[in-house]
Amino acid sequence: TLLLTEQTEVLTLVTNSLKVDLTNRNQYIQGLSLIVIGNMATPDMARDLSSDVEKLLKSSNAYLRKKAALATIRLLKKEPDLIEHMASIVPDLLKDKAHGVLISGIQLMIDILDIAPEMKEEYCKTVPTLVRLLRSFVSMGFSPEHDVGGIADPFIQVKLLTLLRKLGRANDETSEQMSDVLAQVATNTESAKNAGNAILYECVQTIMGVQSDSNSRVLAINILGRFLLNRDNNIRYVALNSLSRVVSEDIAAVQ
């Protein structure tokens, strides 16, 4: 991956070598193979290796499931026809206990929705699961393994909010299902730390991006108002930038 690009002709000879490595008994050799696929897979490699990567997506090893999910993102971008076959496996990753697998699975769903918007109807069925997940992170106590500045795994929370935004856009039913948890995130997230502000910013984007009621929108704009009072110019800038987009949608709340 350091010396070659996907245009290098010798890559056509590498496919078989990767296939052999994907079935190696050593998880780190399998992991390296998945990294190469995730960084360099061509459309031909995607077609040839998709079934092997799919097997590892169902592996009992969390390390390999995570790597396989990331490799799958590349495969589907290079060969969108594979989505029809692989998309149904992806929601199973949301039940995973390992945070690394969870965040990779969420990102995979986000990318699938970008490549194939027609999957939205199918993935809207996962909204109750996503809401439960987000609620568990908001109410989670101190977790040293995933804690960032007193916030439980802000990376997953941000990804969950991004995915909910995609699923709730122009859909009244899914927006209704997520409204309570969005309000919970907006009111319970600590804003003294940058990790908390990142979640709050994403929450504002999601509230304004789905079919929210006026109370939720006022709550979101109040968060941006608090951002304007922050001493950090970056956070002020983010607030002004967001307000300039929101003002056309809900001028009363901004006033």
Side-chain angles (χ1 to χ4, degrees), residues 37-227:
I37 293 166
N39 286 326
M40 303 181 67
T42 61
D44 287 342
M45 287 166 77
R47 285 189 291 273
D48 292 340
L49 298 171
S50 62
S51 58
D52 301 274
V53 173
E54 186 185 330
K55 279 179 197 157
L56 293 179
L57 208 51
K58 301 171 183 172
S59 162
S60 58
N61 182 328
Y63 169 82
L64 291 175
R65 286 198 303 279
K66 177 183 76 173
K67 298 279 187 204
L70 295 173
T72 303
I73 292 171
R74 172 80 177 199
L75 296 184
L76 300 184
K77 283 181 175 176
K78 288 293 166 187
E79 193 52 61
D81 289 348
L82 294 170
I83 289 177
E84 196 177 334
H85 174 63
M86 297 185 82
S88 58
I89 312 164
V90 178
D92 290 343
L93 298 173
L94 298 177
K95 300 168 190 162
D96 217 290
K97 296 283 188 285
H99 284 219
V101 180
L102 261 180
I103 197 167
S104 308
I106 294 164
Q107 184 60 51
L108 179 50
M109 286 180 74
I110 291 169
D111 283 307
I112 287 173
L113 289 168
D114 285 340
I115 304 164
E118 66 274 13
M119 288 303 303
K120 180 176 171 180
E121 192 178 336
E122 181 63 30
Y123 281 171
C124 278
K125 296 172 188 168
T126 66
V127 168
T129 306
L130 295 168
V131 166
R132 266 198 311 277
L133 264 177
L134 186 54
R135 189 169 277 125
S136 71
F137 282 111
V138 175
S139 56
M140 190 187 276
F142 177 66
S143 163
E145 196 181 343
H146 306 108
D147 192 85
V148 179
I151 308 285
D153 208 332
F155 299 101
I156 281 193
Q157 291 196 52
V158 164
K159 290 288 181 201
L160 279 167
L161 287 162
T162 306
L163 181 52
L164 286 171
R165 180 161 72 249
K166 284 184 173 295
L167 295 172
R169 187 170 285 132
N171 187 320
D172 290 334
E173 188 185 342
T174 53
S175 296
E176 175 65 31
Q177 288 174 327
M178 65 185 76
S179 63
D180 285 352
V181 79
L182 292 178
Q184 196 179 345
V185 172
T187 49
N188 292 2
T189 303
E190 181 61 55
S191 61
K193 298 276 171 52
N194 236 8
N197 286 328
I199 293 169
L200 286 171
Y201 171 66
E202 208 62 43
C203 186
V204 169
Q205 300 277 81
T206 301
I207 288 171
M208 302 311 291
V210 302
Q211 311 298 102
S212 300
D213 58 32
S214 56
N215 290 343
S216 298
R217 286 173 176 264
V218 170
L219 183 61
I221 287 166
N222 284 343
I223 291 171
L224 295 178
R226 291 210 306 275
F227 279 5

Side-chain angles (χ1 to χ4, degrees), residues 6-49:
E6 64 172 285
Q7 282 77 34
T8 315
E9 287 183 7
V10 76
L11 266 196
T12 53
L13 307 174
V14 171
T15 306
N16 204 44
S17 176
L18 291 172
K19 207 174 182 68
V20 171
D21 285 347
L22 285 172
T23 56
N24 198 294
R25 288 188 174 183
N26 183 327
Q27 64 170 0
Y28 299 111
I29 290 176
Q30 290 177 289
L32 274 172
S33 186
L34 288 167
I35 289 168
V36 175
I37 293 166
N39 286 326
M40 303 181 67
T42 61
D44 287 342
M45 287 166 77
R47 285 189 291 273
D48 292 340
L49 298 171

